[in-house]
Amino acid sequence: RAGAEKAFDGTVRPTMTSHSFDYATRMMRSFGSYHYTSEVSALPNDRYDLEAAFDRGSMLVQLRLNPSGQILALHMTPNFTDKTP
């Protein structure tokens, strides 16, 4: 977790909990093996929409970066409809 926290902006780190990290990890593992990430769109204000593909589905990953490239906001939306077991 400590290594992952470095990717986040200092104003966001205090809001991150062990529960939120554990939940995100469990959710991603439930998708099976990771395949790739592709950019869906790049929007103003350093916001990016990405698709992460796994064995049993995909996930929309929306993030916004600060000028240093650290994560200011992160939202993940699972999509199990691709290859549900």
Side-chain angles (χ1 to χ4, degrees):
R1 174 182 167 191
E5 285 182 353
K6 293 178 184 176
F8 289 84
D9 182 83
T11 60
V12 176
R13 284 185 212 136
T15 68
M16 299 163 44
T17 65
S18 293
H19 174 74
S20 61
F21 272 101
D22 292 345
Y23 176 78
T25 300
R26 282 193 313 275
M27 181 175 55
M28 287 187 284
R29 286 184 181 157
S30 72
F31 278 82
S33 297
Y34 168 77
H35 293 284
Y36 64 86
T37 301
S38 61
E39 185 176 291
V40 176
S41 63
L43 304 165
N45 299 323
D46 295 316
R47 185 178 153 211
Y48 300 89
D49 289 351
L50 310 167
E51 178 189 17
F54 300 84
D55 281 338
R56 293 187 292 273
S58 63
M59 180 181 306
L60 174 63
V61 179
Q62 298 172 299
L63 58 96
R64 193 174 69 212
L65 305 176
N66 70 13
S68 299
Q70 292 176 306
I71 299 169
L72 277 171
L74 173 66
H75 183 79
M76 299 184 295
T77 306
N79 178 9
F80 280 103
T81 60
D82 294 348
K83 299 177 185 173
T84 304

